[in-house]
Amino acid sequence: MRMFIGGNWVDKDEKIDVHNPFDGSVIDTVPRGDAQDVAAAITSAQRGSEIMRSMPAYERYEILHKASELMTERLEELGRTVSSEEGKIISEGLGEAARAQETITLSAEEAKRLYGETLPLDAASNGAGKFGLTLRVPCGVVAAITPFNFPLNLVCHKVGPALAAGNAVVVKPATDTPLSALLLTQIMLDAGVPPEAIQCVTGSGSVIGDAVSGDARVRKISFTGSRDVGEHICQVAGLKKVTMELGSNAPLIVLPDADLEKVATATAATGFANAGQVCISAQRVLVDQEVYGDFIDTLKPKVEALSTGNQLEESVGMGPMIREADAVRVNEWIHEAVDGGATLVTGGDRVGTMHAPTVVADVDPQMKISSQEVFGPAVALTRFDTVEEAITMANDTNYGLSAGVFTQNVDWALKFAQEVHSGNININWGPQWRADLMPYGGFKDSGMGKEGPKYAVEEMTELKTVIFH
Ligand code: TAP
């Protein structure tokens, strides 16, 4: 595929191969964009931002609504593209395509809701005879830098609100998974987005990232990805608005009154979906010592029932990881933990990008598999004695994106909700759950700002205060 810059589909002599992570086969190529391509994209987007700023909200709504209809027609193609380039099983790929379509529908609706307010200026000692109001105005050019793991829906979470709010958007998709973003760009153009209002530049983040983040013509950066890249972008960005949706090592607390069957089902579902490569995967499962042994016995067969293999075959329960280097890293952390005294309950093997679904018990919270973001198909079990200890352990991390607790005790549930420092709190489910309309974003090193179209529109607009004297 080609990239889209300045109203044209652009090719380059230098290409990047896009691989199917299951067998390494090349499924397509994209141009290797450079800093000049980024500069050209931003120049065009500046014109696009003027067009979008003056476009009536109803037209922005209609275009996004049309885009959502076109996505519905192409759902199967979108889902297959996601699965082929990312490695998630086909049901998850199709599920992501359906969610992405809903994200664009929700964004279309938000185009109609850019409210301001009137200000009671005469309530201030110097305000008699004045009248004030606020206008919510677009930022201008929004840069959208996105990760590999949800290559369509997370692009929609930026493109949809950016356009709904009257901005132009420059998309920099992950190099491993650019095809879904390019397909989406085509759909947006087909729906009537002005060609200057959307740009999609492919190329390595380490090469072209600074050209995107550092350009003073970009007013807003919306980034989803790893903590360290997020921090680097903030340093390069200078005086810009930023939204940072970063990583985590999400905890799931199992209190002694929990239904262990339900917890085990939730752990298998929220720990191993997309081969554990979800920012809110259940990673640290903290279990009350009273039910620790029984929980392991209940969880083990559910994890062992996950068949691994070619993600495009419908019978397969878990596909490959995105890159072999990441599978090697996850495997090393597992074996480091086992060498340090943890117990391998199931899994532990790796062949190429395919890592077995793994459960490790008796994990010391200082071990990498617990203290750092695993981002792979491994779950670490640690036991605790009291609710207070469990909450302290859950909070003993630099991350804070999502957390889960299983209990029937409303006091414990409320204590957990109030005391766990995390952007999302799940009572009686694992940490991995999201409806695309809800405010979603992390605390601490998991980032700042919220996504969900309503909240992203707020972050991609600015308030102008108008005073009539
Ligand atoms: P990253 O390696 O951080 O890459 C994310 C994006 O940043 C890619 O497009 C990447 O481009 C680009 N990038 C790399 N270096 C850059 C630089 N110096 N300047 C600007 N952009 C740069 O993350 P990933 O491996 O794709 O995704 C996994 C991470 O994302 C995990 O930490 C996960 O938790 C996090 N994540 C968070 C969320 C939310 S909502 N909080 C959701 C999904 C994922 P290249 O691909 O070309 O390197």
PDB file of all heavy atoms in Angstrom, residues 145-149 154 172-175 203-206 209-210 213 223-226 229 232-233 245-248 279 323 373 375 401 440, ligand 1:
ATOM      1  N   ILE A 145      -0.260   9.225  16.998  1.00  0.00           N
ATOM      2  CA  ILE A 145       0.809   8.204  16.925  1.00  0.00           C
ATOM      3  C   ILE A 145       0.291   6.961  17.645  1.00  0.00           C
ATOM      4  O   ILE A 145      -0.088   7.038  18.828  1.00  0.00           O
ATOM      5  CB  ILE A 145       2.109   8.723  17.572  1.00  0.00           C
ATOM      6  CG1 ILE A 145       2.510  10.066  16.944  1.00  0.00           C
ATOM      7  CG2 ILE A 145       3.233   7.700  17.413  1.00  0.00           C
ATOM      8  CD1 ILE A 145       3.728  10.728  17.592  1.00  0.00           C
ATOM      9  N   THR A 146       0.268   5.845  16.922  1.00  0.00           N
ATOM     10  CA  THR A 146      -0.500   4.694  17.426  1.00  0.00           C
ATOM     11  C   THR A 146       0.343   3.418  17.506  1.00  0.00           C
ATOM     12  O   THR A 146       1.315   3.255  16.768  1.00  0.00           O
ATOM     13  CB  THR A 146      -1.719   4.442  16.509  1.00  0.00           C
ATOM     14  OG1 THR A 146      -1.268   4.364  15.162  1.00  0.00           O
ATOM     15  CG2 THR A 146      -2.733   5.562  16.635  1.00  0.00           C
ATOM     16  N   PRO A 147      -0.044   2.494  18.410  1.00  0.00           N
ATOM     17  CA  PRO A 147       0.719   1.260  18.622  1.00  0.00           C
ATOM     18  C   PRO A 147       0.229   0.126  17.717  1.00  0.00           C
ATOM     19  O   PRO A 147      -0.775   0.272  17.018  1.00  0.00           O
ATOM     20  CB  PRO A 147       0.409   0.950  20.084  1.00  0.00           C
ATOM     21  CG  PRO A 147      -1.017   1.374  20.235  1.00  0.00           C
ATOM     22  CD  PRO A 147      -1.206   2.571  19.326  1.00  0.00           C
ATOM     23  N   PHE A 148       0.947  -1.001  17.815  1.00  0.00           N
ATOM     24  CA  PHE A 148       0.622  -2.116  16.920  1.00  0.00           C
ATOM     25  C   PHE A 148      -0.586  -2.921  17.386  1.00  0.00           C
ATOM     26  O   PHE A 148      -1.232  -3.593  16.574  1.00  0.00           O
ATOM     27  CB  PHE A 148       1.839  -3.064  16.803  1.00  0.00           C
ATOM     28  CG  PHE A 148       2.028  -3.948  18.012  1.00  0.00           C
ATOM     29  CD1 PHE A 148       1.347  -5.159  18.124  1.00  0.00           C
ATOM     30  CD2 PHE A 148       2.869  -3.576  19.051  1.00  0.00           C
ATOM     31  CE1 PHE A 148       1.503  -5.965  19.242  1.00  0.00           C
ATOM     32  CE2 PHE A 148       3.026  -4.372  20.173  1.00  0.00           C
ATOM     33  CZ  PHE A 148       2.343  -5.572  20.260  1.00  0.00           C
ATOM     34  N   ASN A 149      -0.906  -2.879  18.695  1.00  0.00           N
ATOM     35  CA  ASN A 149      -1.748  -3.960  19.224  1.00  0.00           C
ATOM     36  C   ASN A 149      -3.242  -3.832  18.916  1.00  0.00           C
ATOM     37  O   ASN A 149      -3.943  -4.834  18.906  1.00  0.00           O
ATOM     38  CB  ASN A 149      -1.493  -4.164  20.728  1.00  0.00           C
ATOM     39  CG  ASN A 149      -1.920  -2.989  21.561  1.00  0.00           C
ATOM     40  OD1 ASN A 149      -1.915  -1.846  21.097  1.00  0.00           O
ATOM     41  ND2 ASN A 149      -2.280  -3.252  22.792  1.00  0.00           N
ATOM     42  N   LEU A 154      -7.605   1.823  17.784  1.00  0.00           N
ATOM     43  CA  LEU A 154      -6.912   2.926  18.462  1.00  0.00           C
ATOM     44  C   LEU A 154      -6.620   4.071  17.497  1.00  0.00           C
ATOM     45  O   LEU A 154      -6.486   5.220  17.924  1.00  0.00           O
ATOM     46  CB  LEU A 154      -5.647   2.423  19.154  1.00  0.00           C
ATOM     47  CG  LEU A 154      -5.926   1.473  20.336  1.00  0.00           C
ATOM     48  CD1 LEU A 154      -4.634   1.012  20.994  1.00  0.00           C
ATOM     49  CD2 LEU A 154      -6.845   2.120  21.376  1.00  0.00           C
ATOM     50  N   LYS A 172       0.459   8.578  12.338  1.00  0.00           N
ATOM     51  CA  LYS A 172       1.724   7.838  12.210  1.00  0.00           C
ATOM     52  C   LYS A 172       1.449   6.471  12.824  1.00  0.00           C
ATOM     53  O   LYS A 172       1.536   6.279  14.036  1.00  0.00           O
ATOM     54  CB  LYS A 172       2.813   8.583  12.960  1.00  0.00           C
ATOM     55  CG  LYS A 172       4.260   8.281  12.637  1.00  0.00           C
ATOM     56  CD  LYS A 172       4.642   6.884  12.314  1.00  0.00           C
ATOM     57  CE  LYS A 172       5.381   6.197  13.441  1.00  0.00           C
ATOM     58  NZ  LYS A 172       5.435   4.723  13.271  1.00  0.00           N
ATOM     59  N   PRO A 173       1.065   5.486  11.981  1.00  0.00           N
ATOM     60  CA  PRO A 173       0.734   4.168  12.548  1.00  0.00           C
ATOM     61  C   PRO A 173       2.000   3.388  12.910  1.00  0.00           C
ATOM     62  O   PRO A 173       3.090   3.719  12.434  1.00  0.00           O
ATOM     63  CB  PRO A 173      -0.009   3.478  11.400  1.00  0.00           C
ATOM     64  CG  PRO A 173       0.521   4.105  10.155  1.00  0.00           C
ATOM     65  CD  PRO A 173       0.944   5.515  10.515  1.00  0.00           C
ATOM     66  N   ALA A 174       1.833   2.352  13.733  1.00  0.00           N
ATOM     67  CA  ALA A 174       2.973   1.499  14.083  1.00  0.00           C
ATOM     68  C   ALA A 174       3.518   0.843  12.820  1.00  0.00           C
ATOM     69  O   ALA A 174       2.760   0.446  11.932  1.00  0.00           O
ATOM     70  CB  ALA A 174       2.535   0.442  15.088  1.00  0.00           C
ATOM     71  N   THR A 175       4.828   0.701  12.759  1.00  0.00           N
ATOM     72  CA  THR A 175       5.471   0.156  11.562  1.00  0.00           C
ATOM     73  C   THR A 175       5.094  -1.304  11.327  1.00  0.00           C
ATOM     74  O   THR A 175       5.006  -1.752  10.185  1.00  0.00           O
ATOM     75  CB  THR A 175       6.996   0.326  11.694  1.00  0.00           C
ATOM     76  OG1 THR A 175       7.255   1.721  11.715  1.00  0.00           O
ATOM     77  CG2 THR A 175       7.745  -0.298  10.536  1.00  0.00           C
ATOM     78  N   GLY A 203       6.473   4.862   8.330  1.00  0.00           N
ATOM     79  CA  GLY A 203       7.922   4.987   8.526  1.00  0.00           C
ATOM     80  C   GLY A 203       8.243   4.747   9.981  1.00  0.00           C
ATOM     81  O   GLY A 203       7.356   4.758  10.839  1.00  0.00           O
ATOM     82  N   SER A 204       9.520   4.513  10.234  1.00  0.00           N
ATOM     83  CA  SER A 204       9.938   4.135  11.579  1.00  0.00           C
ATOM     84  C   SER A 204       9.804   5.297  12.564  1.00  0.00           C
ATOM     85  O   SER A 204      10.304   6.401  12.314  1.00  0.00           O
ATOM     86  CB  SER A 204      11.390   3.663  11.520  1.00  0.00           C
ATOM     87  OG  SER A 204      11.917   3.673  12.810  1.00  0.00           O
ATOM     88  N   GLY A 205       9.198   5.014  13.701  1.00  0.00           N
ATOM     89  CA  GLY A 205       9.007   6.042  14.722  1.00  0.00           C
ATOM     90  C   GLY A 205      10.318   6.623  15.203  1.00  0.00           C
ATOM     91  O   GLY A 205      10.417   7.821  15.484  1.00  0.00           O
ATOM     92  N   SER A 206      11.351   5.775  15.310  1.00  0.00           N
ATOM     93  CA  SER A 206      12.624   6.282  15.825  1.00  0.00           C
ATOM     94  C   SER A 206      13.275   7.226  14.809  1.00  0.00           C
ATOM     95  O   SER A 206      14.120   8.035  15.162  1.00  0.00           O
ATOM     96  CB  SER A 206      13.566   5.125  16.169  1.00  0.00           C
ATOM     97  OG  SER A 206      13.733   4.323  15.036  1.00  0.00           O
ATOM     98  N   GLY A 209       9.709  10.042  14.135  1.00  0.00           N
ATOM     99  CA  GLY A 209       8.894  10.438  15.286  1.00  0.00           C
ATOM    100  C   GLY A 209       9.140  11.875  15.719  1.00  0.00           C
ATOM    101  O   GLY A 209       8.191  12.641  15.958  1.00  0.00           O
ATOM    102  N   ASP A 210      10.429  12.253  15.808  1.00  0.00           N
ATOM    103  CA  ASP A 210      10.733  13.606  16.294  1.00  0.00           C
ATOM    104  C   ASP A 210      10.224  14.668  15.331  1.00  0.00           C
ATOM    105  O   ASP A 210       9.856  15.770  15.756  1.00  0.00           O
ATOM    106  CB  ASP A 210      12.241  13.780  16.498  1.00  0.00           C
ATOM    107  CG  ASP A 210      12.735  13.010  17.723  1.00  0.00           C
ATOM    108  OD1 ASP A 210      11.915  12.332  18.362  1.00  0.00           O
ATOM    109  OD2 ASP A 210      13.944  13.092  18.025  1.00  0.00           O
ATOM    110  N   SER A 213       6.552  14.926  16.367  1.00  0.00           N
ATOM    111  CA  SER A 213       6.308  15.477  17.714  1.00  0.00           C
ATOM    112  C   SER A 213       6.880  16.884  17.871  1.00  0.00           C
ATOM    113  O   SER A 213       6.350  17.682  18.635  1.00  0.00           O
ATOM    114  CB  SER A 213       6.947  14.596  18.784  1.00  0.00           C
ATOM    115  OG  SER A 213       6.739  13.257  18.525  1.00  0.00           O
ATOM    116  N   PHE A 223      -0.976  10.275  21.712  1.00  0.00           N
ATOM    117  CA  PHE A 223      -0.067   9.132  21.585  1.00  0.00           C
ATOM    118  C   PHE A 223      -0.594   7.948  22.374  1.00  0.00           C
ATOM    119  O   PHE A 223      -1.007   8.098  23.533  1.00  0.00           O
ATOM    120  CB  PHE A 223       1.325   9.506  22.118  1.00  0.00           C
ATOM    121  CG  PHE A 223       2.277   8.330  22.194  1.00  0.00           C
ATOM    122  CD1 PHE A 223       2.843   7.798  21.042  1.00  0.00           C
ATOM    123  CD2 PHE A 223       2.589   7.732  23.416  1.00  0.00           C
ATOM    124  CE1 PHE A 223       3.715   6.707  21.104  1.00  0.00           C
ATOM    125  CE2 PHE A 223       3.453   6.635  23.479  1.00  0.00           C
ATOM    126  CZ  PHE A 223       4.019   6.132  22.322  1.00  0.00           C
ATOM    127  N   THR A 224      -0.570   6.782  21.777  1.00  0.00           N
ATOM    128  CA  THR A 224      -0.786   5.536  22.509  1.00  0.00           C
ATOM    129  C   THR A 224       0.403   4.640  22.229  1.00  0.00           C
ATOM    130  O   THR A 224       0.750   4.407  21.062  1.00  0.00           O
ATOM    131  CB  THR A 224      -2.092   4.847  22.084  1.00  0.00           C
ATOM    132  OG1 THR A 224      -3.176   5.756  22.282  1.00  0.00           O
ATOM    133  CG2 THR A 224      -2.353   3.599  22.905  1.00  0.00           C
ATOM    134  N   GLY A 225       1.027   4.143  23.294  1.00  0.00           N
ATOM    135  CA  GLY A 225       2.191   3.273  23.117  1.00  0.00           C
ATOM    136  C   GLY A 225       2.891   3.077  24.440  1.00  0.00           C
ATOM    137  O   GLY A 225       2.276   3.194  25.507  1.00  0.00           O
ATOM    138  N   SER A 226       4.184   2.813  24.360  1.00  0.00           N
ATOM    139  CA  SER A 226       4.919   2.446  25.570  1.00  0.00           C
ATOM    140  C   SER A 226       5.297   3.678  26.391  1.00  0.00           C
ATOM    141  O   SER A 226       5.382   4.791  25.873  1.00  0.00           O
ATOM    142  CB  SER A 226       6.171   1.656  25.195  1.00  0.00           C
ATOM    143  OG  SER A 226       6.972   2.440  24.341  1.00  0.00           O
ATOM    144  N   VAL A 229       8.604   5.639  25.150  1.00  0.00           N
ATOM    145  CA  VAL A 229       8.405   6.444  23.931  1.00  0.00           C
ATOM    146  C   VAL A 229       7.516   7.645  24.265  1.00  0.00           C
ATOM    147  O   VAL A 229       7.771   8.764  23.814  1.00  0.00           O
ATOM    148  CB  VAL A 229       7.820   5.592  22.777  1.00  0.00           C
ATOM    149  CG1 VAL A 229       7.450   6.479  21.591  1.00  0.00           C
ATOM    150  CG2 VAL A 229       8.825   4.526  22.331  1.00  0.00           C
ATOM    151  N   HIS A 232       9.600  10.279  25.878  1.00  0.00           N
ATOM    152  CA  HIS A 232      10.458  10.923  24.875  1.00  0.00           C
ATOM    153  C   HIS A 232       9.649  11.938  24.050  1.00  0.00           C
ATOM    154  O   HIS A 232      10.099  13.065  23.821  1.00  0.00           O
ATOM    155  CB  HIS A 232      11.076   9.853  23.965  1.00  0.00           C
ATOM    156  CG  HIS A 232      11.850  10.417  22.821  1.00  0.00           C
ATOM    157  ND1 HIS A 232      13.147  10.872  22.949  1.00  0.00           N
ATOM    158  CD2 HIS A 232      11.493  10.650  21.526  1.00  0.00           C
ATOM    159  CE1 HIS A 232      13.559  11.356  21.787  1.00  0.00           C
ATOM    160  NE2 HIS A 232      12.576  11.223  20.899  1.00  0.00           N
ATOM    161  N   ILE A 233       8.446  11.531  23.647  1.00  0.00           N
ATOM    162  CA  ILE A 233       7.608  12.445  22.845  1.00  0.00           C
ATOM    163  C   ILE A 233       7.306  13.715  23.644  1.00  0.00           C
ATOM    164  O   ILE A 233       7.386  14.830  23.103  1.00  0.00           O
ATOM    165  CB  ILE A 233       6.312  11.724  22.404  1.00  0.00           C
ATOM    166  CG1 ILE A 233       6.647  10.683  21.332  1.00  0.00           C
ATOM    167  CG2 ILE A 233       5.267  12.722  21.874  1.00  0.00           C
ATOM    168  CD1 ILE A 233       5.485   9.786  20.937  1.00  0.00           C
ATOM    169  N   GLU A 245      -1.505   7.721  26.329  1.00  0.00           N
ATOM    170  CA  GLU A 245      -2.141   6.454  26.722  1.00  0.00           C
ATOM    171  C   GLU A 245      -1.033   5.407  26.720  1.00  0.00           C
ATOM    172  O   GLU A 245      -0.645   4.910  25.664  1.00  0.00           O
ATOM    173  CB  GLU A 245      -3.240   6.079  25.716  1.00  0.00           C
ATOM    174  CG  GLU A 245      -4.357   7.107  25.577  1.00  0.00           C
ATOM    175  CD  GLU A 245      -5.356   7.066  26.730  1.00  0.00           C
ATOM    176  OE1 GLU A 245      -5.320   6.113  27.528  1.00  0.00           O
ATOM    177  OE2 GLU A 245      -6.157   8.007  26.830  1.00  0.00           O
ATOM    178  N   LEU A 246      -0.492   5.082  27.902  1.00  0.00           N
ATOM    179  CA  LEU A 246       0.738   4.286  27.967  1.00  0.00           C
ATOM    180  C   LEU A 246       0.487   2.896  28.557  1.00  0.00           C
ATOM    181  O   LEU A 246      -0.648   2.432  28.609  1.00  0.00           O
ATOM    182  CB  LEU A 246       1.793   5.076  28.752  1.00  0.00           C
ATOM    183  CG  LEU A 246       1.987   6.529  28.278  1.00  0.00           C
ATOM    184  CD1 LEU A 246       3.003   7.260  29.136  1.00  0.00           C
ATOM    185  CD2 LEU A 246       2.378   6.599  26.804  1.00  0.00           C
ATOM    186  N   GLY A 247       1.547   2.264  28.995  1.00  0.00           N
ATOM    187  CA  GLY A 247       1.461   0.852  29.379  1.00  0.00           C
ATOM    188  C   GLY A 247       0.977   0.622  30.800  1.00  0.00           C
ATOM    189  O   GLY A 247       0.562   1.543  31.487  1.00  0.00           O
ATOM    190  N   SER A 248       1.066  -0.639  31.214  1.00  0.00           N
ATOM    191  CA  SER A 248       0.667  -0.985  32.579  1.00  0.00           C
ATOM    192  C   SER A 248       1.063  -2.428  32.908  1.00  0.00           C
ATOM    193  O   SER A 248       1.503  -3.174  32.023  1.00  0.00           O
ATOM    194  CB  SER A 248      -0.838  -0.762  32.731  1.00  0.00           C
ATOM    195  OG  SER A 248      -1.527  -1.903  33.076  1.00  0.00           O
ATOM    196  N   CYS A 279      -2.911  -3.370  26.695  1.00  0.00           N
ATOM    197  CA  CYS A 279      -2.355  -2.510  27.752  1.00  0.00           C
ATOM    198  C   CYS A 279      -2.986  -2.806  29.107  1.00  0.00           C
ATOM    199  O   CYS A 279      -2.396  -2.516  30.138  1.00  0.00           O
ATOM    200  CB  CYS A 279      -2.543  -1.047  27.374  1.00  0.00           C
ATOM    201  SG  CYS A 279      -4.220  -0.678  26.862  1.00  0.00           S
ATOM    202  N   ARG A 323       6.429  -9.833  17.533  1.00  0.00           N
ATOM    203  CA  ARG A 323       7.815  -9.980  17.070  1.00  0.00           C
ATOM    204  C   ARG A 323       8.484 -11.089  17.865  1.00  0.00           C
ATOM    205  O   ARG A 323       8.199 -11.250  19.070  1.00  0.00           O
ATOM    206  CB  ARG A 323       8.637  -8.697  17.318  1.00  0.00           C
ATOM    207  CG  ARG A 323       8.210  -7.516  16.512  1.00  0.00           C
ATOM    208  CD  ARG A 323       8.957  -6.256  16.966  1.00  0.00           C
ATOM    209  NE  ARG A 323       8.018  -5.153  16.997  1.00  0.00           N
ATOM    210  CZ  ARG A 323       7.517  -4.617  18.097  1.00  0.00           C
ATOM    211  NH1 ARG A 323       7.871  -5.075  19.289  1.00  0.00           N
ATOM    212  NH2 ARG A 323       6.658  -3.624  18.027  1.00  0.00           N
ATOM    213  N   GLU A 373       6.113  -4.235  32.713  1.00  0.00           N
ATOM    214  CA  GLU A 373       5.010  -4.590  31.815  1.00  0.00           C
ATOM    215  C   GLU A 373       5.423  -5.801  30.975  1.00  0.00           C
ATOM    216  O   GLU A 373       6.355  -5.707  30.167  1.00  0.00           O
ATOM    217  CB  GLU A 373       4.665  -3.417  30.895  1.00  0.00           C
ATOM    218  CG  GLU A 373       3.496  -3.749  29.974  1.00  0.00           C
ATOM    219  CD  GLU A 373       3.088  -2.594  29.056  1.00  0.00           C
ATOM    220  OE1 GLU A 373       3.956  -1.835  28.613  1.00  0.00           O
ATOM    221  OE2 GLU A 373       1.881  -2.496  28.768  1.00  0.00           O
ATOM    222  N   PHE A 375       3.454  -7.560  28.688  1.00  0.00           N
ATOM    223  CA  PHE A 375       2.897  -7.421  27.334  1.00  0.00           C
ATOM    224  C   PHE A 375       3.085  -8.704  26.525  1.00  0.00           C
ATOM    225  O   PHE A 375       3.564  -8.724  25.393  1.00  0.00           O
ATOM    226  CB  PHE A 375       3.530  -6.219  26.615  1.00  0.00           C
ATOM    227  CG  PHE A 375       2.542  -5.456  25.778  1.00  0.00           C
ATOM    228  CD1 PHE A 375       1.437  -4.865  26.350  1.00  0.00           C
ATOM    229  CD2 PHE A 375       2.702  -5.343  24.391  1.00  0.00           C
ATOM    230  CE1 PHE A 375       0.512  -4.173  25.591  1.00  0.00           C
ATOM    231  CE2 PHE A 375       1.781  -4.658  23.625  1.00  0.00           C
ATOM    232  CZ  PHE A 375       0.686  -4.067  24.232  1.00  0.00           C
ATOM    233  N   LEU A 401      -3.213   1.905  35.092  1.00  0.00           N
ATOM    234  CA  LEU A 401      -4.176   2.024  33.986  1.00  0.00           C
ATOM    235  C   LEU A 401      -5.499   1.335  34.307  1.00  0.00           C
ATOM    236  O   LEU A 401      -6.570   1.908  34.116  1.00  0.00           O
ATOM    237  CB  LEU A 401      -3.558   1.440  32.707  1.00  0.00           C
ATOM    238  CG  LEU A 401      -4.352   1.583  31.418  1.00  0.00           C
ATOM    239  CD1 LEU A 401      -4.754   3.021  31.165  1.00  0.00           C
ATOM    240  CD2 LEU A 401      -3.532   1.054  30.226  1.00  0.00           C
ATOM    241  N   TYR A 440     -11.371   6.757  29.286  1.00  0.00           N
ATOM    242  CA  TYR A 440     -10.385   5.687  29.396  1.00  0.00           C
ATOM    243  C   TYR A 440      -8.991   6.295  29.361  1.00  0.00           C
ATOM    244  O   TYR A 440      -8.634   7.006  28.414  1.00  0.00           O
ATOM    245  CB  TYR A 440     -10.581   4.734  28.204  1.00  0.00           C
ATOM    246  CG  TYR A 440      -9.652   3.563  28.164  1.00  0.00           C
ATOM    247  CD1 TYR A 440      -9.993   2.355  28.757  1.00  0.00           C
ATOM    248  CD2 TYR A 440      -8.422   3.654  27.531  1.00  0.00           C
ATOM    249  CE1 TYR A 440      -9.129   1.276  28.713  1.00  0.00           C
ATOM    250  CE2 TYR A 440      -7.554   2.577  27.487  1.00  0.00           C
ATOM    251  CZ  TYR A 440      -7.913   1.392  28.081  1.00  0.00           C
ATOM    252  OH  TYR A 440      -7.068   0.324  28.043  1.00  0.00           O
TER     253      TYR A 440
HETATM  254  P1  TAP B   1       5.740   1.768  21.029  1.00  0.00           P
HETATM  255  O1  TAP B   1       6.951   1.007  20.685  1.00  0.00           O
HETATM  256  O2  TAP B   1       5.831   2.797  22.090  1.00  0.00           O
HETATM  257  O3  TAP B   1       5.218   2.422  19.648  1.00  0.00           O
HETATM  258  C1  TAP B   1       4.047   3.181  19.593  1.00  0.00           C
HETATM  259  C2  TAP B   1       4.122   4.140  18.421  1.00  0.00           C
HETATM  260  O4  TAP B   1       5.155   5.102  18.675  1.00  0.00           O
HETATM  261  C3  TAP B   1       4.500   3.470  17.097  1.00  0.00           C
HETATM  262  O5  TAP B   1       3.832   4.096  16.051  1.00  0.00           O
HETATM  263  C4  TAP B   1       5.978   3.751  17.011  1.00  0.00           C
HETATM  264  O6  TAP B   1       6.492   3.711  15.695  1.00  0.00           O
HETATM  265  C5  TAP B   1       6.012   5.162  17.545  1.00  0.00           C
HETATM  266  N1  TAP B   1       7.333   5.624  17.951  1.00  0.00           N
HETATM  267  C6  TAP B   1       8.438   4.887  18.260  1.00  0.00           C
HETATM  268  N2  TAP B   1       9.467   5.714  18.568  1.00  0.00           N
HETATM  269  C7  TAP B   1       8.993   6.978  18.462  1.00  0.00           C
HETATM  270  C8  TAP B   1       9.571   8.267  18.657  1.00  0.00           C
HETATM  271  N3  TAP B   1      10.838   8.418  19.049  1.00  0.00           N
HETATM  272  N4  TAP B   1       8.813   9.348  18.444  1.00  0.00           N
HETATM  273  C9  TAP B   1       7.507   9.227  18.067  1.00  0.00           C
HETATM  274  N5  TAP B   1       6.917   8.029  17.852  1.00  0.00           N
HETATM  275  C10 TAP B   1       7.646   6.920  18.058  1.00  0.00           C
HETATM  276  O7  TAP B   1       4.551   0.788  21.467  1.00  0.00           O
HETATM  277  P2  TAP B   1       4.043  -0.554  20.775  1.00  0.00           P
HETATM  278  O8  TAP B   1       5.061  -1.618  20.993  1.00  0.00           O
HETATM  279  O9  TAP B   1       3.567  -0.283  19.409  1.00  0.00           O
HETATM  280  O10 TAP B   1       2.746  -0.846  21.662  1.00  0.00           O
HETATM  281  C11 TAP B   1       2.817  -1.435  22.914  1.00  0.00           C
HETATM  282  C12 TAP B   1       2.734  -0.424  24.038  1.00  0.00           C
HETATM  283  O11 TAP B   1       1.579   0.377  23.880  1.00  0.00           O
HETATM  284  C13 TAP B   1       2.572  -1.088  25.391  1.00  0.00           C
HETATM  285  O12 TAP B   1       3.352  -0.414  26.355  1.00  0.00           O
HETATM  286  C14 TAP B   1       1.091  -0.934  25.684  1.00  0.00           C
HETATM  287  O13 TAP B   1       0.755  -0.980  27.046  1.00  0.00           O
HETATM  288  C15 TAP B   1       0.835   0.410  25.099  1.00  0.00           C
HETATM  289  N6  TAP B   1      -0.587   0.588  24.818  1.00  0.00           N
HETATM  290  C16 TAP B   1      -1.320   1.429  25.598  1.00  0.00           C
HETATM  291  C17 TAP B   1      -2.682   1.572  25.366  1.00  0.00           C
HETATM  292  C18 TAP B   1      -3.486   2.514  26.202  1.00  0.00           C
HETATM  293  S1  TAP B   1      -4.929   2.960  25.614  1.00  0.00           S
HETATM  294  N7  TAP B   1      -3.063   2.989  27.324  1.00  0.00           N
HETATM  295  C19 TAP B   1      -3.298   0.848  24.347  1.00  0.00           C
HETATM  296  C20 TAP B   1      -2.518   0.005  23.575  1.00  0.00           C
HETATM  297  C21 TAP B   1      -1.165  -0.114  23.810  1.00  0.00           C
HETATM  298  P3  TAP B   1       7.231   2.377  15.156  1.00  0.00           P
HETATM  299  O14 TAP B   1       6.212   1.307  15.178  1.00  0.00           O
HETATM  300  O15 TAP B   1       7.645   2.789  13.816  1.00  0.00           O
HETATM  301  O16 TAP B   1       8.374   2.122  16.094  1.00  0.00           O
END
